[in-house]
Amino acid sequence: MVQEDKSCAICGASTTLACSICLKVFYCGQQHQIMHWEQGHMLNCGTSPVKSQFDVERRDHLRSKAIEAIRRGDWQEAVSAGTISYRLTQTFYPDSELHPDMLVECVLLAVAHTQSGGTASWQQANKHLEEAAKLASLNPFDDLEINAVVFSVLGEVAGMLRDPHAGDWVQPYIQSLTTKLGPGDMLVGDAWVYACKLYTKLGQFDQALDAAAQALTIRERLLGPKHLLVADARFNVGLVHLRLGSAEEALNTFIMALQLHSGQDSQQRIELEYGAAMAQHQAGNYSAARISYDSALETCLAVYGKEHELYSEIEMCVAALEEDAM
């Protein structure tokens, strides 16, 4: 800031300190300068498109503010802070409408707008979701694990929006990982897991089954057939078979995975026993389904106790089974 006799843009107090960039707006001190900058002065300050250290610090502050707002469930605050951060980051790259450095803002705004609700907000969510998916697919982070997490968040948001085109982003993303790492890398397998979950949420079960099978193939090749991560991959295959109405295929897959969890009380074992019970229920094998449901309840009791929501969910399935068996 530079000195000249004017009044603070926030509180109106007499001051001699002007914005050092545009020299047109005045503040009583740094706190009100930062406040006014975040309220929108950054957008009409007349600053050079070349980012300054001050700009970067303000952008990082706004990012943190948006993230904290999302954690609190304050969606309007998250949208406000995220939007200003998005626009500020745009000014850093005047020759690029969508720069890789904007990926964080795109993800934050996709999440915040999705949760805000309302037609206008959902339209904004779709816009930022498409931007984020493009950046994640075409410009992956050097840290591929972070990039995989980002894409999984996009999958969650896309599933909430029920965007029928969300699956189109999967192939270029996985191709970018495959090019960097090779087709058999574990992170490529993890990407196929995320793809399976996204396709399932979108109701695209044939694509989900293919993605689950790809993940299973990679994990089995790298880890061997008896690894627990292979069992988890089989669980995903079984779930998709269940959604497709292929009860026998689902049951066989769940049983193969259960053999790897023998003697272990864990969340994975609960899910596998629960899945086997649903497959038997779907196939009309009610007596076998009841045994599997009871086994899932027993494991759930040992792991979580009766108060857990999964225990209640399985009990509801048992009640439905008893009605179907009458």
Side-chain angles (χ1 to χ4, degrees):
M1 289 187 288
V2 299
Q3 293 193 352
E4 189 175 329
D5 188 17
K6 293 289 182 178
S7 59
C8 176
I10 295 295
C11 67
S14 178
T15 180
T16 58
L17 300 174
C19 172
S20 59
I21 299 174
C22 68
L23 306 179
K24 297 177 181 178
V25 185
F26 298 82
Y27 307 100
C28 62
Q30 187 179 39
Q31 183 177 1
H32 280 182
Q33 182 190 22
I34 293 172
M35 184 183 302
H36 196 234
W37 184 261
E38 292 178 0
Q39 288 176 353
H41 180 55
M42 69 174 71
L43 304 179
N44 53 28
C45 176
T47 180
S48 162
V50 179
K51 59 184 176 181
S52 68
Q53 184 60 33
F54 177 79
D55 292 330
V56 174
E57 289 174 358
R58 295 282 63 74
R59 191 275 308 276
D60 292 347
H61 170 71
L62 287 162
R63 280 181 174 177
S64 298
K65 194 172 181 179
I67 291 169
E68 287 303 317
I70 287 174
R71 287 173 176 166
R72 295 194 310 270
D74 188 345
W75 309 118
Q76 293 304 318
E77 176 67 23
V79 167
S80 176
T83 299
I84 298 174
S85 180
Y86 177 91
R87 292 175 180 172
L88 176 58
T89 307
Q90 277 184 318
T91 68
F92 297 168
Y93 310 100
D95 297 328
S96 176
E97 183 177 349
L98 190 64
H99 191 274
D101 197 24
M102 297 170 64
L103 178 56
V104 173
E105 278 70 30
C106 292
V107 172
L108 291 173
L109 286 171
V111 173
H113 276 297
T114 300
Q115 295 292 348
S116 294
T119 302
S121 200
W122 278 50
Q123 289 173 345
Q124 285 297 310
N126 266 314
K127 170 182 177 291
H128 292 301
L129 184 65
E130 290 175 4
E131 292 173 339
K134 180 179 179 181
L135 291 175
S137 298
L138 303 180
N139 301 284
F141 282 115
D142 289 336
D143 187 333
L144 295 173
E145 290 187 16
I146 292 177
N147 201 39
V149 171
V150 168
F151 198 78
S152 72
V153 172
L154 297 181
E156 292 289 335
V157 176
M160 293 171 68
L161 292 173
R162 291 291 189 264
D163 184 342
H165 301 295
D168 298 343
W169 307 327
V170 171
Q171 293 297 335
Y173 168 72
I174 294 179
Q175 184 58 49
S176 71
L177 291 185
T178 302
T179 300
K180 284 194 172 188
L181 302 173
D185 190 89
M186 180 63 78
L187 280 174
V188 176
D190 291 345
W192 280 117
V193 172
Y194 300 135
C196 172
K197 293 178 180 179
L198 173 56
Y199 284 133
T200 300
K201 287 184 179 181
L202 296 173
Q204 299 172 5
F205 299 124
D206 288 335
Q207 294 93 324
L209 184 60
D210 179 66
Q214 294 274 8
L216 175 60
T217 298
I218 291 173
R219 288 185 176 182
E220 197 166 29
R221 184 187 307 129
L222 292 175
L223 303 172
K226 296 184 179 181
H227 198 280
L228 291 182
L229 285 178
V230 174
D232 291 344
R234 289 194 185 283
F235 172 71
N236 291 331
V237 173
L239 278 183
V240 181
H241 276 307
L242 202 58
R243 294 294 188 93
L244 286 167
S246 305
E248 184 175 349
E249 287 86 348
L251 179 60
N252 290 336
T253 305
F254 289 138
I255 289 174
M256 288 179 68
L258 265 171
Q259 291 172 352
L260 301 181
H261 283 276
S262 178
Q264 299 182 16
D265 288 335
S266 63
Q267 179 182 343
Q268 289 76 17
R269 183 172 181 83
I270 300 168
E271 292 174 344
L272 287 165
E273 290 172 338
Y274 187 15
M278 288 190 290
Q280 291 160 331
H281 190 166
Q282 189 179 94
N285 191 346
Y286 299 138
S287 58
R290 181 55 192 262
I291 294 172
S292 295
Y293 278 133
D294 287 344
S295 182
L297 284 171
E298 183 179 345
T299 307
C300 191
L301 182 64
V303 175
Y304 294 123
K306 284 188 177 181
E307 304 304 317
H308 196 273
E309 60 183 0
L310 184 56
Y311 191 92
S312 300
E313 182 180 323
I314 299 172
E315 283 190 317
M316 291 175 63
C317 288
V318 171
L321 174 70
E322 290 174 347
E323 287 187 11
D324 292 341
M326 289 178 63

